[in-house]
């Protein structure tokens, strides 16, 4: 298979500089989310997350740390009840599990690049719309997992076995729906935050789509 110019460049960078990449990045991110969750529970009056979220006005007022700390905000923030705490812990675990699988499948540097590009997309989106989060960035991580482990079976609702690729297609369909019915801010955030996925997997998906179209064309001609 012919590699895109970006992938050829990435392989060269990986060969030369992988030893300088951040190792176990997923573990660092998940641990940061857990610490923020714990800190908020210990002292809820401070509202720690309000100082970490990606807010354009706050960044321009000098709180530049928000450009980095937003990735440590837990996927869910309603953890003041037992159920909410369970769902937050579960979402952090799922993030860690999926991210570690992708990170182990790739090299550390390749994973660093993937997350960094998505992170930059989220920051740019926030500078345009006013606010940002890691929601779509983490969604792009699941899409990468669905492509790399397409035949892996996952238990939906802990009961129903579903292949990762079908969940990936479902997630992709939701993204398209949000692009259609969402606000302009949603569209900007989605497109910029999944730019990493399109950059890494776009050529593969396009090639697969072309192969599928050729298959059905040849099958239709054969029936004639």
């Amino acid at each position: 298979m012919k590699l895109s110019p970006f992938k050829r460049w990435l392989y060269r960078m990986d060969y030369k500089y992988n030893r300088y990449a951040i190792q176990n990045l997923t573990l660092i991110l998940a641990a940061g989310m857990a610490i923020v969750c714990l800190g908020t529970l210990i002292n809820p009056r401070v509202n720690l997350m309000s100082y970490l979220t990606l807010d354009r006005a706050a960044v321009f007022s000098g709180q530049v740390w928000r450009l980095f700390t937003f990735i440590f905000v837990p996927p869910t923030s309603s953890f003041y009840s037992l159920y909410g705490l369970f769902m937050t812990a579960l979402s952090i675990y799922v993030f860690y599990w999926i991210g570690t699988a992708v990170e182990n499948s790739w090299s550390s540097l390749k994973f660093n690049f993937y997350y960094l590009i998505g992170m930059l997309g989220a920051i740019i989106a926030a500078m345009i719309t006013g606010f940002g989060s890691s929601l779509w960035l983490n969604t792009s991580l699941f899409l990468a997992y669905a492509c790399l482990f397409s035949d892996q079976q996952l238990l939906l609702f802990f009961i129903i076995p579903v292949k990762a690729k079908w969940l990936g297609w479902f997630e992709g369909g939701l993204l398209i729906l949000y692009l259609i019915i969402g606000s302009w801010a949603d569209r900007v955030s989605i497109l910029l935050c999944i730019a990493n996925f399109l950059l890494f997997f776009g050529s593969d998906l396009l090639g697969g789509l072309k192969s599928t179209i050729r298959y059905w064309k040849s099958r239709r001609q054969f029936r004639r």
Side-chain angles (χ1 to χ4, degrees), residues 11-171:
Y11 277 117
R12 289 196 298 269
M13 294 292 290
D14 190 24
Y15 178 76
K16 292 180 179 179
Y17 304 112
N18 183 57
R19 61 184 180 275
Y20 301 115
I22 300 174
Q23 307 294 320
N24 301 314
L25 177 59
T26 307
L27 177 61
I28 295 171
L29 294 169
M33 294 176 191
I35 291 171
V36 170
C37 178
L38 183 61
T40 305
L41 286 173
I42 291 174
N43 193 352
R45 294 186 209 175
V46 175
N47 194 6
L48 178 60
M49 288 191 297
S50 66
Y51 294 97
L52 305 178
T53 53
L54 191 50
D55 184 320
R56 181 180 63 192
V59 171
F60 286 165
S61 69
Q63 299 178 17
V64 293
W65 64 80
R66 293 175 182 268
L67 296 174
F68 306 96
T69 57
F70 77 95
I71 59 176
F72 297 111
V73 175
T76 60
S77 57
S78 57
F79 42 77
Y80 293 104
S81 65
L82 188 60
Y83 174 76
L85 183 60
F86 169 75
M87 293 304 297
T88 301
L90 179 63
S91 63
I92 294 175
Y93 170 75
V94 170
F95 169 83
Y96 170 74
W97 179 64
I98 288 175
T100 300
V102 175
E103 191 172 3
N104 290 338
S105 176
W106 289 340
S107 65
S108 294
L109 184 134
K110 190 174 182 180
F111 184 79
N112 284 187
F113 264 114
Y114 188 84
Y115 203 83
L116 177 61
I117 294 170
M119 186 177 169
L120 291 174
I123 292 172
I124 295 171
M127 295 302 104
I128 296 172
T129 64
F131 298 94
S133 72
S134 59
L135 171 63
W136 305 118
L137 168 58
N138 293 336
T139 299
S140 74
L141 192 59
F142 175 74
L143 292 176
Y145 176 88
C147 286
L148 292 172
F149 304 95
S150 57
D151 291 324
Q152 180 72 41
Q153 281 200 340
L154 306 175
L155 291 179
L156 187 63
F157 306 120
F158 303 103
I159 301 173
I160 307 171
V162 182
K163 287 188 176 181
K165 64 181 176 183
W166 300 124
L167 291 177
W169 281 113
F170 177 75
E171 192 70 38

